Amino acid sequence: MAKKKAWGGRFADGTDRFVEEFTASIPFDILLYRQDIAGSIAHARMLGRRKILPRAEADRIVAALNGILQEIESGKLSFDLSQEDIHMAVEQRLTRKVGKIGGKLHTGRSRNDQVALDLRLYLRGEIDGILTLLDKVGERILARAEECYGVVMPGYTHMQRAQPVLFSHHLLAYHEMFSRDRDRFREARRRANVSPLGAGALAGTTFPLDRESVAEELGMDGVCENSIDAVSDRDFAADFLYACAVTMMHLSRLSEEMVYWSSTEFGFLSLPDALCTGSSIMPQKKNPDVAELIRGKTGRAYGNLVSLLTVMKGLPLAYNRDMQEDKEPVFDSARTVKECLVGAALLIEGMAVDEERMRAACDDGFLTATDLADYLARKGVPFRKAHEITGRIVRYCEGNGKRLKDLSLKELRSFHPGIGEEVRDAISLSHSVRLRNTRGGTGPEAVRRRLEELKKR
Ligand code: ARG
């Protein structure tokens, strides 16, 4: 039969072996040991300050908790399923070390506020790590945008060549996405960094706890205002999972572009050997697996968000054991986002850009057709009309296997008599890019301005 439980008082019989395994969270919430011990230390200190426990007892508990932290950190302590979860495991070890007074640590506390605290502290730490990695990715993007400044590539809509853009401008689009991701993580951190301790099981506690000082000691910005909400709320975890999902969406789009840009068909860039793998049968293959896996792992980040939202949707207040299912999605998304940010930084840093291929790709596909229409519009032709005339010119080119720049002035004039020699310049690639200097545009001056702004941040 299983060992005696901390809550075993009202039970006549032991727990079924299957139930013990089925309900245990220690195999995964062991990850929370640092947060759990930090929360317990802050709680014990406060119990001492408030004379809810004799000072000396509180001090012994704190010292023993510090010892347990070291035991776990050095791999000297292992836990088993009968201990249920990290909270019980730490408390049991504490009681082994200090005897009966270990049982006083849980005064004025419940696992329900304890687990909410642990997860909040854990997320705070993970978010700080993710923010650092997001910064790294941002820096790499800026460095490459600076280095490739002036390189022209086709911009696409519907995956059809649309208008020429600076490659730097395209890269900086990702920078904008990742800086919004930063904002989302910072917001998630702000929401997570509030202490639920003192909520007890759900109704608050009969002991004169000093909730604020515990929060302060843990570096939190405040305390949860409603004890029922404090133990029922997992919005903060959903915020985190949403921030992860959106970041993964951005990483996935970047990865997708790297996959096809590095294909033989595009050849816009090549990825370093160190970041690719080969095929077991086709000797010529060099596959962009890192980019593909980042794209692929986006699925689990989305799944984790939906998973938590679904766990929570039908739960009556306050704590229900269903909520134990919050942890694995959160742990998985945190790990996934971190490793994918590391991979993305390597890809951005390692890619070799083929300037010639990019420019050559701008030659076909009538990329400056909009510029021709704009040219006519500047001559006073209403834009709609200019659009139609240009459309007919493109059709003519297609029928005759010509590019816009292959047309003679005579041919062009046959579509509109106002077209003059200066049209050559108007439909040139460099001119097309150069003119788009409105704020946020791809013109070299606009891109330079934004690049400098971002570098200053
Ligand atoms: N292992 C539990 C969880 O992760 C801790 C809280 C358990 N509380 C309870 N009343 N059973 O949610």
Side-chain angles (χ1 to χ4, degrees):
M1 201 186 71
K3 282 181 240 158
K4 184 146 169 49
K5 304 289 182 200
W7 38 256
R10 65 101 59 231
F11 287 79
D13 293 327
T15 315
D16 183 280
R17 186 71 211 165
F18 164 78
V19 173
E20 203 162 72
E21 261 178 48
F22 186 66
T23 57
S25 54
I26 186 86
F28 48 88
D29 67 16
I30 178 74
L31 221 71
L32 297 174
Y33 73 90
R34 254 187 246 116
Q35 293 76 13
D36 197 71
I37 291 174
S40 289
I41 287 176
H43 181 66
R45 282 214 187 103
M46 180 275 296
L47 292 177
R49 278 199 303 278
R50 277 284 157 114
K51 306 204 166 49
I52 298 168
L53 293 193
R55 262 291 162 109
E57 291 184 358
D59 289 348
R60 275 189 71 198
I61 290 175
V62 170
L65 286 168
N66 277 315
I68 296 172
L69 180 62
Q70 266 157 30
E71 287 171 358
I72 301 178
E73 223 108 78
S74 61
K76 279 197 211 118
L77 198 58
S78 60
F79 299 115
D80 68 78
L81 286 180
S82 72
Q83 286 168 308
E84 220 177 308
D85 56 28
I86 183 63
H87 328 295
M88 293 298 209
V90 170
E91 196 182 313
Q92 268 179 42
R93 181 66 193 152
L94 177 69
T95 304
R96 278 266 172 75
K97 284 169 88 81
V98 299
K100 278 204 301 263
I101 65 161
K104 295 191 180 186
L105 169 63
H106 216 48
T107 309
R109 191 176 69 170
S110 155
R111 269 189 295 165
N112 299 347
D113 52 355
Q114 190 179 359
V115 72
L117 174 80
D118 291 5
L119 195 59
R120 284 170 180 271
L121 291 176
Y122 166 85
L123 280 182
R124 189 178 72 181
E126 289 304 300
I127 289 172
D128 288 342
I130 290 170
L131 287 172
T132 305
L133 290 170
L134 271 169
D135 279 349
K136 279 221 177 84
V137 169
E139 280 164 23
R140 299 284 139 84
I141 292 177
L142 286 184
R144 297 311 304 263
E146 177 74 57
E147 178 199 321
C148 298
Y149 183 72
V151 174
V152 181
M153 70 179 284
Y156 295 81
T157 67
H158 313 268
M159 268 306 278
Q160 308 286 319
R161 289 179 190 168
Q163 292 172 341
V165 296
L166 288 187
F167 179 56
S168 302
H169 191 52
H170 193 106
L171 279 181
L172 289 184
Y174 283 103
H175 196 285
E176 302 290 341
M177 296 175 226
F178 293 130
S179 60
R180 289 194 298 275
D181 292 336
R182 277 191 110 261
D183 293 344
R184 266 181 285 272
F185 277 111
R186 285 229 290 270
E187 176 66 15
R189 188 191 196 282
R190 194 179 65 75
R191 284 190 213 274
N193 202 27
V194 181
S195 174
L197 276 192
L202 79 163
T205 153
T206 56
F207 294 95
L209 303 188
D210 179 358
R211 298 188 61 204
E212 287 78 8
S213 75
V214 173
E216 207 180 301
E217 189 170 329
L218 292 167
M220 302 183 97
D221 300 327
V223 298
C224 302
E225 293 295 349
N226 179 303
S227 63
I228 297 177
D229 181 47
V231 292
S232 308
D233 166 33
R234 292 294 182 273
D235 303 4
F236 66 90
D239 286 343
F240 172 76
L241 291 176
Y242 174 65
C244 289
V246 178
T247 301
M248 287 303 297
M249 172 180 80
H250 292 151
L251 288 171
S252 183
R253 296 182 76 173
L254 175 61
S255 299
E256 162 66 7
E257 299 212 295
M258 293 204 167
V259 169
Y260 72 77
W261 282 345
S262 63
S263 69
T264 311
E265 283 71 12
F266 272 80
F268 286 1
L269 51 86
S270 62
L271 298 172
D273 283 4
L275 302 181
C276 295
T277 62
S279 156
S280 59
I281 172 168
M282 297 167 283
Q284 84 282 15
K285 293 302 289 294
K286 187 175 122 181
N287 298 326
D289 303 48
V290 174
E292 289 173 313
L293 275 171
I294 293 174
R295 193 176 59 187
K297 284 174 188 288
T298 305
R300 59 165 81 208
Y302 289 8
N304 290 335
L305 171 63
V306 174
S307 166
L308 179 66
L309 292 173
T310 312
V311 166
M312 297 306 294
K313 78 174 265 291
L315 295 188
L317 308 185
Y319 179 83
N320 301 271
R321 191 62 176 265
D322 315 46
M323 288 157 80
Q324 181 166 290
E325 291 292 312
D326 61 358
K327 276 170 271 312
E328 285 163 294
V330 163
F331 295 164
D332 185 71
S333 277
R335 198 194 58 218
T336 301
V337 168
K338 283 192 297 184
E339 61 187 22
C340 289
L341 284 169
V342 170
L346 288 171
L347 287 169
I348 295 163
E349 193 176 25
M351 66 185 177
V353 176
D354 191 332
E355 184 173 349
E356 277 317 303
R357 284 287 295 246
M358 285 187 178
R359 176 168 282 275
C362 294
D363 255 0
D364 278 326
F366 310 102
L367 269 84
T368 57
T370 316
D371 299 279
L372 179 53
D374 283 355
Y375 166 81
L376 288 168
R378 275 196 296 274
K379 288 208 164 280
V381 182
F383 184 77
R384 275 287 148 251
K385 185 74 191 159
H387 185 290
E388 191 209 311
I389 294 167
T390 309
R392 278 196 275 116
I393 295 175
V394 168
R395 183 144 47 93
Y396 171 83
C397 284
E398 277 193 328
N400 293 277
K402 291 186 170 186
R403 296 169 302 180
L404 283 180
K405 66 177 179 189
D406 300 329
L407 297 177
S408 69
L409 196 55
K410 194 164 153 240
E411 283 173 300
L412 283 164
R413 280 226 176 99
S414 70
F415 291 93
H416 192 275
I419 294 178
E421 190 54 53
E422 66 298 341
V423 73
R424 296 259 161 257
D425 200 30
I427 60 169
S428 78
L429 268 190
S430 56
H431 189 266
S432 167
V433 174
R434 217 180 325 120
L435 280 195
R436 291 184 157 73
N437 277 312
T438 42
R439 182 170 174 178
T442 193
E445 282 158 41
V447 171
R448 173 51 69 195
R449 223 178 302 136
R450 188 63 183 148
L451 198 49
E452 294 308 322
E453 273 168 23
L454 294 172
K455 280 200 296 194
K456 247 181 249 143
R457 282 217 199 137

